[in-house]
Every structure is written in structure tokens, then in C-alpha cells.
Amino acid sequence: MSQNKIDFNQIDEIKKKADIVSIIGKYIKLSRRGANYFGVCPFHADHNPSLVVSPSKKIWKCFVCGNKGNVFTFIQKYKKISFLEAVKEVAIIEGYDLNKLSFLNNSHSFLNPEIKRLVEANSYTNDLYKSFLMDNVNKEFLDYLTKNRNLSIDTIKYFEFGYAPSEEDLIYKILTNKDNFLGSSRDATITWNEKELCDAGIIYLNENQKPLDFLINRITIPIYDNNNYIVGFSGRTTKNNSPKYLNTGSTKVFSKGNLLFNFNRVKELNDKRIIIVEGFMDAIALHNCNHKNVVATMGTSLTDKHLTLLNSLELDTIILCFDNDAAGELATVENGRKLMGNGFNVYVIGDYDKKIKDVDELMQLQGREAIDCIINNRIDFISFLIKLKLSKKKSLDEVQTNVNFLLKEIREYGDILLRTKHFELISELSGIHMNDLQAKLDETNKNDRLFHNKQYIRNYNTSRKSDNFNIEEEQSELIEKKTLRDAYTISKDFLNLTTKILLDKFTYTVCKITSFLIAHNNYINKAFNIDLMFGNVLGSSLEVKLLNIVYYLYEKEGKVTKDLYENYIKNNLDHLDKHLINIILKDEEFTANGNQKRNDNLYNNLLSTLRKNKKEITQFKDIKELLLCNYLQRDNKLKELIELNKLSKK
């Protein structure tokens, strides 16, 4: 038999032997219900178990997005690899002798040809960067890592640090062999054209369409995807240049929302505990202190894809270790709630000196002992929230608002085994008796069906009409319900449009308040300590993050100006929406001039508009959730849809 001829009989044999539940269970959590297994589908944005795996039929299907197939197609779609690569992976799991499956011996060749060229270009570029770093001519950059950053040679080699030379198009010339730069005998298999290098993010075209290297005169770190392919780079300046870090932009193989830095290595550790940090150097600093189970979000909030990756590790504990400032606190709250909502046990590192900005700097200043200390002194996420909300001295109404917020978080995410501990901490910081806290919680739980439903959904224990769930019967039922769903299409579209309008109004108002506070710093303390408390008026959306930068800069610099604000964003938050930033910075309505009465009126009008926007959004929230709930919830909610026509007219 020809080595490259595909043997479909062998493929069919592998599929029949494969334990589809065990294999899919390596990538997503599955829970048995009757004869079948349920899990959260990784192929669309969802938090509920809508994907069904049938071990008897050896198939899987999601009843929300419609994706379906066998064990090969699941791995192919999940890992974004070729069909034959997926076959090879299953064959290895099932213990097949690959020598007898000659058509699978070189599965790398089955990558999409275009994608294969891009990842190979990145891999070759990484080899160049590494060789440049170890060249004596560039010794100052290796010294920077070992002496300035206190990184060991083992850590430098482990993360494959390199150096992008200062010549603006050297990498371009090498990889394209431009004008026979490396000689006419250059191997064509390691030569790429201009478009390929642009698609890989290795070069870019300037305003004159001249190709230039993307990274110049920077320390480099390769970024691997979950399948151990290099898909991009981060470049760090050793000077005071801006930006400090320059990362590969979105390409056909690289997207920050789909990747966790160092995940490809961590998944091989089989550690039940993982640490999540914000940036590359934080992850590398922890690894350098022998905490190897660390991944970085690369400056983004956790996405559904990130949650799917974390779910595949079967973790006991997640430790959040974000920046040691106001923005880091917000990131901890936002990501902690996401993780708790997905059933993870979440902890937050212990406190350390607020003058130290992150764990990378902590390692440089105080060494491994300090890193060990903050990790060993971690606290559970609810305790972190309690301290965040109640540690600072508050007025009576602020305490009441914050305690109500905390009880809601305990009810939503808290572990009942820690209830006493959390009540003791709230009581200590607020002066409210523990019995009163329990009474308040009992009162809010009494008629709270949503709370119980969310708990069942999160634990994948939602009861069904029958444990003997059948895929064909479910499909038949859904077809019957289609007529009912069609009846509500107009109401659904109306609510979607209304919600978008309300959110746009909210965004615009928050941006206006941000502009006002930049022009009138004397209102900042009142705004952030009384009027715009977390959990009261605002949430954690993008525009709110931009607003909170005002408070962070005010606390750090003692003032906020448009120049300070703009420079901070350019140096630290290049991923944020430029449209919103322009709205804030170009707003000329709120000049620093004007009398106190006029400014008070402007401020109060903005607050009034904001609260009105928030109230309108809240009124529509429950209706929208009802319309967009998935099939597993819809059985119990179809009757409620009868009221939609009335509600949509309000």
C-alpha cells in the first residue's frame, strides 16, 4: 500500500474503538444524565450544557448552534486541525501503533497549506530571534534579561526569548531572500513571499507600501497556540520607548481572545491548580520562582474560549494574580465573577505593597520569598470582594448598599461551607450582626427561583422529563416548538433593537461623565466614593473601565489631564476601543472654567441621566434573557413568552 494512501477501513475501525465520552471529556466537562452525557458547547458563546454526547451511537450534537459529528470532527473543530490530524490524535489516545498507520505518520503535512506556511514562517523567525539574542554582538540584551530582570538562563531558554535586530527590514530580507540576500542557493522551502509574511504578522507595509519588520530592536517572546504552533510574538523594549510591549495583531492564526499565554505548557503539567496573570512577564516571573502552573490573558478579559480551555484542565483551584492597582482590582472582580459563574473555585493572591505595580516587579525587588508569600496567603474570591467593599470607612448608606451587594454575590457564587466565614468578615468590617445577615439572605432567597435555576445549570444537574434522553426525540420536540418560536420573532427583534439603543445611551453618558471629571478634578472623589460605587450605579463594561482610569490616575498623580489620560492609554491599554477614547478626549463641552453652580448642575444632570439609563437597561434585562435562553431552559419558560406582546408595548 502506498504510504500516502488513506485507509478508510482503518479510520472506521479507530472510530468504532474510540471511547467518545472519554475523549471529548478531555476538552470539556461532561455530566451523565441517563444514557447520554451533557456539556457546555465550546463552539458558540454559552454557559449552559447544550451539547449532548451519545456513547451508544458515538455521535455528539449541540442543540443550540447545531454543530454535530463524531469523535474526529469534534477534535478537528475544537483544535482547528485537519481531519487526518484528528484521526491521528484519537489513534494515539486509543493506543494504536502508528507504524501500522503509515498514512498518519506525518500528520503535520495535513495542516491547511496556507496556515502551515504561516506557522512555519513564525517558527523560522523565532529561530532567528533566538540566535540573535545569543550572538555576542547583542550581549547587552541577554544581560538585560539576566541582570535587570533577574531571569535564569533556564527560564530564558524555556520561554525561548530572542532579539529582533534594529535593522528595519532584516527579517524580511532573510525570509524572502530579497535580491538574493542569502544567495541564489537558498532553499525555496524556507522562503516566503511578502503577503505570507504580512498575513503572519511578521512584517507590515508602511504608508509608502514598503515592507518593514514588525518587531525592531526588541526582546522577543514567541506565543504558542494550544497545539504547540507558534502563532505570534510579543516584543518588549529595553528602553523607555512606547509602547513597552508590542504584540502581533490579529491574524489568521493569532487572536488574543482564543489564547492563553503558556497554556500549551501548563496543560502538560496535570496540575489541579492554576494561576492567572495579566501579562507575559508576570507569567515568566512566577515561573522563574518555580510556580510553573501559570497562564496569562495577554491584556484581555477572560473570553468564552478561555473558559473552555480552563474547563479542559479539570482544575480544583484558580488563583487570580492581576496588577496591584485599581485597574487590577476591577479585572479581578470581572474575571473572578466569570470564573465563579462557571463553577470554578477562585482565589485571589494576598496583599502586597501598593507601591509595587505587579508580581514581575515584586520578584525583582523582593525575590521568590515574596512571591511564595502572596500565593500562600491567598483568600477566596468572596472574601476578596468583602474586603474590597468594606475595608475603607463608609457612610451608613454606603455600608447598607455594599452589604446588600455582597449578600447577592454570596447567594450567586458563594460556597455554603464558607458562609459562616464570610458572615463573620462582613460583620467585623460593617458592624452588622451575623444573625441579621442570615435573616436578610433568607428573605431574599425565599422567592428566588432564578438563584436555584442557576445553581442547577452550573452543576449540570437540571432535571429533565426523562433520564433516557434521546437525540431524535429531542430534535422532533424542537421542530414542534419552532411554530411557537416564530410567533415571537417580532417581539424578539424589537427587544434586541431597544436594548442596543439603551446600551448606546448608557455608553455615551459614561463617556460624558469621564470627560467632565477630566476637566473638573475636584468632583472625582465624590464621584468614585459616593455616586459611582462599584455594584451600585455601574458595572464592568468597556466604557466603565475607561472611566475608572480617571480615578486611578488621580490617585497616582494627584491630578488628571487629557494628556495624562491619553498617554496612559497609549502605554498600557492599546486594545481598548479608540472610538470611545475619541469621544472622551474630543469633548469640549466641559471646560475647566465656569462657576460652581453651573458645574454642579452639569454634574447632577449627568448623574441623573446615567441612573435613568441604568434603570431602563435593568427593566429590559430579564425580558431579553427570557427570549435568548437556550433550549434546555426553554421548556419551563415558554408560558412566560405569552406576556411578551404586552411587555414590548411598555
Side-chain angles (χ1 to χ4, degrees):
M1 181 183 296
S2 172
Q3 181 176 358
N4 294 320
K5 185 175 180 180
I6 299 173
D7 189 333
F8 290 102
N9 289 329
Q10 287 184 318
I11 291 177
D12 191 51
E13 179 187 329
I14 295 169
K15 182 175 70 174
K16 289 178 180 178
K17 182 179 178 181
D19 183 344
I20 188 171
V21 173
S22 174
I23 293 173
I24 293 181
K26 291 179 180 292
Y27 303 98
I28 63 173
K29 287 184 178 180
L30 294 176
S31 178
R32 184 168 185 171
R33 202 179 302 148
N36 299 291
Y37 291 78
F38 287 74
V40 176
C41 178
F43 306 125
H44 73 283
D46 199 1
H47 302 295
N48 303 311
S50 55
L51 184 143
V52 185
V53 181
S54 171
S56 61
K57 298 178 181 178
K58 293 189 176 295
I59 59 174
W60 61 273
K61 179 170 182 177
C62 175
F63 285 103
V64 174
C65 67
N67 277 293
K68 59 184 178 179
N70 56 37
V71 66
F72 303 137
T73 55
F74 180 91
I75 293 178
Q76 180 185 9
K77 188 172 182 64
Y78 184 89
K79 301 188 75 171
K80 296 182 179 178
I81 57 180
S82 71
F83 175 76
L84 286 177
E85 278 189 300
V87 172
K88 180 177 181 179
E89 184 155 324
V90 174
I92 292 172
I93 292 171
E94 293 298 336
Y96 275 81
D97 183 355
L98 294 185
N99 292 324
K100 296 180 180 179
L101 303 173
S102 56
F103 63 98
L104 296 178
N105 281 343
N106 186 18
S107 64
H108 183 78
S109 65
F110 299 120
L111 270 176
N112 176 303
E114 180 186 12
I115 300 302
K116 178 185 175 185
R117 290 284 292 171
L118 301 187
V119 298
E120 286 180 342
N122 278 321
S123 180
Y124 193 86
T125 300
N126 187 49
D127 289 339
L128 291 173
Y129 288 154
K130 288 191 293 184
S131 66
F132 290 138
L133 180 65
M134 295 303 171
D135 192 319
N136 284 333
V137 175
N138 302 314
K139 188 176 184 298
E140 64 176 290
F141 296 97
L142 183 60
D143 288 344
Y144 170 83
L145 293 172
T146 57
K147 297 176 181 178
N148 294 51
R149 310 298 300 190
N150 296 317
L151 298 180
S152 69
I153 291 295
D154 285 343
T155 297
I156 291 169
K157 290 181 178 179
Y158 183 83
F159 285 100
E160 301 182 60
F161 277 92
Y163 168 65
S166 56
E167 187 175 338
E168 65 179 11
D169 59 354
L170 179 60
I171 299 298
Y172 166 72
K173 289 176 180 176
I174 293 174
L175 268 66
T176 60
N177 198 26
K178 179 70 173 175
D179 299 326
N180 283 328
F181 184 75
L182 295 178
S184 56
S185 62
R186 171 77 165 181
D187 187 344
T189 62
I190 49 175
T191 302
W192 290 265
N193 60 46
E194 185 178 290
K195 181 181 184 305
E196 288 174 324
L197 298 181
C198 282
D199 286 347
I202 296 169
I203 69 167
Y204 70 99
L205 303 180
N206 68 5
E207 61 274 11
N208 298 320
Q209 298 302 296
K210 179 182 178 181
L212 299 174
D213 295 348
F214 181 69
L215 295 178
I216 298 172
N217 200 33
R218 287 175 178 265
I219 298 288
T220 64
I221 310 166
I223 303 169
Y224 281 84
D225 70 4
N226 312 318
N227 300 313
N228 281 313
Y229 293 127
I230 298 177
V231 293
F233 294 91
S234 178
R236 192 194 192 285
T237 179
T238 59
K239 313 296 182 184
N240 293 321
N241 301 337
S242 180
K244 184 186 299 182
Y245 289 95
L246 190 59
N247 301 326
T248 298
S250 293
T251 69
K252 293 180 180 179
V253 294
F254 178 76
S255 171
K256 289 192 289 186
N258 293 334
L259 300 168
L260 289 169
F261 176 72
N262 202 41
F263 183 86
N264 63 307
R265 300 179 180 95
V266 167
K267 70 179 183 179
E268 304 299 331
L269 298 177
N270 295 318
D271 199 320
K272 295 295 184 181
R273 188 185 74 176
I274 198 170
I275 305 169
I276 302 179
V277 297
E278 286 190 54
F280 307 104
M281 292 308 297
D282 290 336
I284 292 166
L286 289 179
H287 181 278
N288 198 53
C289 294
N290 207 35
H291 294 281
K292 298 181 179 180
N293 53 331
V294 57
V295 297
T297 59
M298 295 187 280
T300 66
S301 296
L302 289 171
T303 66
D304 289 329
K305 180 62 176 177
H306 292 151
L307 294 172
T308 298
L309 293 176
L310 294 171
N311 265 317
S312 71
L313 297 180
E314 299 182 359
L315 299 167
D316 289 338
T317 301
I318 291 180
I319 303 171
L320 298 181
C321 183
F322 294 143
D323 286 354
N324 196 30
D325 55 22
E329 286 182 347
L330 287 172
T332 301
V333 172
E334 178 184 0
N335 291 306
R337 297 177 85 212
K338 283 183 182 179
L339 291 164
M340 294 287 286
N342 278 269
F344 291 106
N345 294 320
V346 182
Y347 289 80
V348 181
I349 58 166
D351 292 334
Y352 59 99
D353 189 345
K354 290 296 182 184
K355 294 178 182 178
I356 299 175
K357 64 180 181 178
D358 53 35
V359 291
D360 178 29
E361 188 173 296
L362 179 65
M363 181 202 73
Q364 295 177 51
L365 294 175
Q366 299 183 16
R368 175 176 174 174
E369 293 75 14
I371 297 293
D372 291 342
C373 180
I374 62 170
I375 291 175
N376 293 335
N377 290 327
R378 61 187 179 274
I379 60 173
D380 67 273
F381 178 71
I382 296 296
S383 293
F384 165 80
L385 277 183
I386 294 170
K387 290 185 176 182
L388 181 66
K389 298 297 291 179
L390 297 176
S391 288
K392 295 180 181 179
K393 190 174 182 180
K394 304 283 185 180
S395 63
L396 185 60
D397 58 333
E398 288 178 300
V399 169
Q400 182 182 10
T401 299
N402 288 341
V403 170
N404 282 329
F405 165 74
L406 291 169
L407 289 175
K408 178 179 178 293
E409 297 298 292
I410 289 173
R411 184 184 64 180
E412 182 81 8
Y413 306 119
D415 189 325
I416 195 167
L417 296 176
L418 299 176
R419 181 72 51 82
T420 300
K421 172 187 174 182
H422 294 150
F423 277 9
E424 285 176 347
L425 186 55
I426 294 175
S427 181
E428 175 189 341
L429 295 175
S430 69
I432 299 174
H433 197 279
M434 288 179 59
N435 291 342
D436 295 330
L437 294 172
Q438 186 61 57
K440 180 66 176 178
L441 190 65
D442 291 342
E443 176 188 317
T444 53
N445 279 343
K446 187 174 181 181
N447 297 311
D448 194 356
R449 290 176 297 169
L450 281 179
F451 167 68
H452 295 292
N453 286 340
K454 288 178 181 176
Q455 291 295 307
Y456 291 141
I457 292 166
R458 181 157 62 248
N459 293 313
Y460 306 147
N461 291 325
T462 308
S463 59
R464 298 197 57 82
K465 299 173 185 176
S466 169
D467 281 341
N468 295 317
F469 181 79
N470 182 280
I471 290 180
E472 285 76 13
E473 289 179 8
E474 178 74 1
Q475 194 165 17
S476 176
E477 289 178 19
L478 293 176
I479 291 171
E480 292 176 11
K481 290 172 185 174
K482 185 177 184 301
T483 304
L484 285 173
R485 293 201 304 274
D486 290 344
Y488 306 117
T489 299
I490 295 175
S491 294
K492 179 176 177 178
D493 291 343
F494 173 83
L495 288 175
N496 280 330
L497 177 61
T498 303
T499 304
K500 183 181 185 305
I501 292 171
L502 292 175
L503 290 173
D504 286 346
K505 287 167 62 178
F506 174 77
T507 296
Y508 180 75
T509 305
V510 174
C511 288
K512 298 288 282 186
I513 289 176
T514 305
S515 299
F516 177 88
L517 294 177
I518 292 173
H520 302 284
N521 286 191
N522 55 310
Y523 286 82
I524 291 176
N525 275 325
K526 182 177 185 298
F528 284 91
N529 292 318
I530 299 175
D531 298 322
L532 304 177
M533 292 184 304
F534 173 79
N536 182 16
V537 178
L538 304 180
S540 58
S541 55
L542 177 58
E543 59 271 17
V544 176
K545 291 179 182 177
L546 290 172
L547 173 62
N548 278 285
I549 291 170
V550 172
Y551 187 65
Y552 169 71
L553 289 175
Y554 184 75
E555 288 283 291
K556 182 180 179 183
E557 306 290 343
K559 64 177 181 178
V560 187
T561 64
K562 283 190 175 182
D563 287 342
L564 277 173
Y565 187 84
E566 185 174 13
N567 287 335
Y568 178 84
I569 289 170
K570 284 181 178 178
N571 293 333
N572 298 276
L573 302 164
D574 57 299
H575 62 282
L576 290 181
D577 192 315
K578 292 182 180 179
H579 174 67
L580 295 183
I581 296 167
N582 286 335
I583 292 176
I584 294 168
L585 294 175
K586 293 184 178 180
D587 195 330
E588 301 295 338
E589 179 181 352
F590 308 116
T591 63
N593 302 321
N595 60 48
Q596 187 67 35
K597 184 176 180 181
R598 172 186 174 274
N599 291 340
D600 284 346
N601 286 335
L602 284 171
Y603 178 71
N604 290 328
N605 287 338
L606 286 170
L607 285 182
S608 176
T609 302
L610 182 66
R611 291 189 176 107
K612 181 181 177 183
N613 294 159
K614 191 71 174 178
K615 183 178 180 181
E616 290 172 336
I617 291 170
T618 302
Q619 289 173 340
F620 272 85
K621 182 180 177 183
D622 290 339
I623 304 170
K624 186 170 176 65
E625 285 180 355
L626 178 66
L627 285 165
L628 301 180
C629 66
N630 70 39
Y631 295 117
L632 296 176
Q633 295 171 281
R634 193 164 290 173
D635 286 349
N636 297 324
K637 294 189 176 184
L638 279 173
K639 292 181 181 179
E640 299 177 52
L641 291 171
I642 297 171
E643 299 298 320
L644 284 178
N645 286 329
K646 297 177 184 177
L647 291 169
S648 63
K649 293 175 183 177
K650 290 185 179 180

